[in-house]
Amino acid sequence: MAAEPDTSWIPNYHFTLATKDRALHRSRCSTFWIQASLFNPYSLQDWAILNVPGVFVLLAAKLAFDQPRSLAGKLSRLLLLPVGSVLAYLIFTSYDFSGGVADQGAINFVAGCLGCAMVLKLYEFTALTSRPVYTPVRRTEKVQKDGDHSRDEKGRRESGAPATPGDVLHFLLDPRGVSYDFGAQIPRAPETRNVNSRSSFLLSTLYRAVFFFLMLDVSLVTFQSVPGTTVSTLAGGSLYNPDLPPLQRYLTSGLLVLCCGAAPYFGLSFFHYVITLLSVGIFRQDPAEHPFIFWSPHNATSVRELWGKRWHSLLRSAFVAMGYKPGSALVGEVGGLMGAFIVSGVLHDIGMWGYGKGTDPWRVVGFFWLQSVGIILEGIWRKIVGRRVQGVWGRLWTWTWVMCTAHIVAEAWLQRGVGGAVNFVPEDYRPAVYLQRYLASSISR
């Protein structure tokens, strides 16, 4: 008699109907026409269903372009918001995107965050009262001669003419507002690649993509190699090993938290470079439209600088629309800061819900709320002392505040087994694993 498959890792809102090589998951939230199951990347039907929330986002963006102030446009966007939000929730929590592979289950965490991001963008477009202004990055003659076929649409876009599908798609694929008015005030890292030469820019980006993929794998291997913990297992575990002396215990937990922060930094950067290669190399976009998404966050000299300048701003406009503006309208700048960080925390907590291990708002949302508290404390310091937090002591303060508070959110995620579900690449194809094995075999000789 065949052994029962291990289903302990499956999200707690699923039960499993086991077959030879496929498990069909039925979710409590699976209703209407959605057949909850493993996502099949080779199924056109699955891809069609998955893109339904994206259609609502696309329609809302189109209406924001064409009818930003008309009553009909506002009502239409207002109707799209609840329907699109419910569908995004149903779809992104009903599919298992891991393909039934337990140690790749964290992709469902990413899917939960993506579904929440779509809802945030829907709200942002619903709240828009003016048409986004297209402000293209300046192009040099060398770029134009090097094969840049980008559309010269500034005049038409600013004239109020109806937006084409290409306009809307360009707008959606530029969440930081690099080419739009709402992103004009967002700080960006100085560009070190040659944006005047497409070939040079692509080679530099390719090098960075390879390097950041390697560093992502190194951070994961380091995390998985820390002895005395079970945080890298599907069962999960605590950052803190009670069997270790206090100093060693907290040094170990600090290393684990550092890896938890390094993984999204390297991972998001890697995917950004891949998208840049496709956009500039295949779709012939201007290289200057794809600046770095991070600006050396380890060099931040204040908590405000870290989150406001050096961390990525992919959803900054959505956090402002849904968190900062309502919060500041209620209780001023303090309320705005807290509102923006709370919305960010909710997004990350919903990611854990997508993973299938419930939510933990006190610790997940609490960590992001504490970042706003850190910024408020810096504002109080500036009023008392007369100068802002900066320099060596500012960097020490920033690292101390973020690392200490990050233990809270890392503990919440790792206790639920997220750390054991991040093996997206088979071990035989992981460069850091190969290097680790090579070094181990060389030492043992």
Side-chain angles (χ1 to χ4, degrees):
M1 185 175 179
E4 288 290 328
D6 177 18
T7 60
S8 60
W9 64 275
I10 293 174
N12 58 17
Y13 49 78
H14 289 318
F15 69 87
T16 304
L17 303 176
T19 61
K20 283 186 178 180
D21 55 0
R22 180 179 171 86
L24 298 177
H25 306 297
R26 293 194 178 278
S27 168
R28 292 176 187 167
C29 63
S30 176
T31 55
F32 306 113
W33 43 270
I34 300 176
Q35 178 69 36
S37 64
L38 292 177
F39 178 76
N40 181 4
Y42 305 105
S43 168
L44 291 177
Q45 178 181 338
D46 282 9
W47 279 108
I49 293 175
L50 182 64
N51 282 283
V52 168
V55 173
F56 278 76
V57 175
L58 192 68
L59 290 173
K62 168 72 172 171
L63 289 168
F65 263 92
D66 295 346
Q67 303 177 47
R69 296 182 180 178
S70 71
L71 180 61
K74 291 179 180 179
L75 289 176
S76 298
R77 284 180 282 159
L78 198 59
L79 290 173
L80 289 173
L81 177 61
V83 179
S85 299
V86 170
L87 288 175
Y89 168 76
L90 291 174
I91 290 170
F92 282 94
T93 58
S94 294
Y95 274 120
D96 174 14
F97 296 92
S98 71
V101 181
D103 60 2
Q104 296 180 12
I107 194 171
N108 291 315
F109 185 104
V110 177
C113 290
L114 182 59
C116 185
M118 285 188 171
V119 174
L120 291 177
K121 298 305 285 187
L122 265 175
Y123 178 87
E124 178 188 349
F125 299 153
T126 301
L128 280 178
T129 56
S130 60
R131 180 186 178 117
V133 178
Y134 178 58
T135 55
V137 180
R138 183 179 300 177
R139 302 178 178 88
T140 66
E141 290 184 7
K142 189 170 185 180
V143 173
Q144 295 284 8
K145 292 178 181 178
D146 198 19
D148 182 23
H149 303 299
S150 300
R151 307 176 305 279
D152 184 15
E153 298 174 335
K154 182 178 180 181
R156 179 174 61 76
R157 289 184 181 180
E158 293 182 349
S159 67
T164 66
D167 296 340
V168 178
L169 187 61
H170 185 277
F171 173 62
L172 291 177
L173 294 178
D174 187 8
R176 294 181 291 166
V178 174
S179 301
Y180 292 88
D181 57 334
F182 69 87
Q185 302 303 317
I186 298 178
R188 298 189 182 94
E191 184 59 78
T192 59
R193 296 164 294 182
N194 185 1
V195 296
N196 295 326
S197 170
R198 189 178 301 277
S199 56
S200 174
F201 179 86
L202 289 172
L203 283 174
S204 298
T205 303
L206 177 60
Y207 165 77
R208 285 178 169 273
V210 173
F211 174 76
F212 274 77
F213 176 76
L214 174 61
M215 294 307 298
L216 169 62
D217 203 35
V218 168
S219 65
L220 293 178
V221 167
T222 302
F223 173 84
Q224 294 162 347
S225 302
V226 174
T229 69
T230 59
V231 293
S232 59
T233 66
L234 292 171
S238 175
L239 288 166
Y240 311 105
N241 184 349
D243 297 329
L244 295 175
L247 179 60
Q248 188 177 348
R249 180 191 312 154
Y250 294 114
L251 286 175
T252 300
S253 69
L255 175 61
L256 291 169
V257 169
L258 190 62
C259 291
C260 289
Y265 168 67
F266 291 124
L268 283 173
S269 296
F270 166 71
F271 283 110
H272 167 70
Y273 292 135
V274 171
I275 293 172
T276 299
L277 290 171
L278 294 174
S279 301
V280 177
I282 297 178
F283 297 105
R284 315 302 288 174
Q285 289 188 352
D286 185 355
E289 291 186 345
H290 296 272
F292 304 124
I293 61 173
F294 291 98
W295 187 351
S296 304
H298 56 279
N299 287 329
T301 57
S302 69
V303 179
R304 177 181 287 274
E305 181 186 4
L306 171 65
W307 299 114
K309 179 178 180 180
R310 294 186 177 274
W311 201 251
H312 76 81
S313 56
L314 295 175
L315 289 174
R316 179 180 182 135
S317 59
F319 294 156
V320 168
M322 201 166 185
Y324 182 84
K325 288 184 177 179
S328 60
L330 291 174
V331 287
E333 176 74 9
V334 170
L337 282 170
M338 290 188 174
F341 278 100
I342 286 173
V343 172
S344 178
V346 169
L347 178 139
H348 290 82
D349 203 28
I350 288 179
M352 192 159 64
W353 173 262
Y355 176 62
K357 296 297 180 70
T359 61
D360 193 341
W362 287 108
R363 290 192 287 183
V364 178
V365 181
F367 161 74
F368 289 91
W369 174 78
L370 283 171
Q371 304 316 297
S372 66
V373 172
I375 295 174
I376 292 168
L377 291 175
E378 290 177 352
I380 295 174
W381 167 270
R382 185 173 184 177
K383 287 184 178 180
I384 295 175
V385 178
R387 62 177 183 272
R388 65 172 182 260
V389 176
Q390 58 186 344
V392 175
W393 290 107
R395 184 171 300 176
L396 179 61
W397 146 257
T398 303
W399 272 90
T400 302
W401 179 263
V402 174
M403 285 293 293
C404 289
T405 56
H407 277 67
I408 301 171
V409 66
E411 181 79 348
W413 286 334
L414 297 180
Q415 284 182 337
R416 287 167 168 78
V418 177
V422 293
N423 298 310
F424 303 120
V425 179
E427 284 206 359
D428 291 340
Y429 299 98
R430 292 178 61 183
V433 171
Y434 178 81
L435 180 61
Q436 183 186 43
R437 291 174 179 173
Y438 174 78
L439 291 174
S441 62
S442 299
I443 294 173
S444 63
R445 288 175 185 173

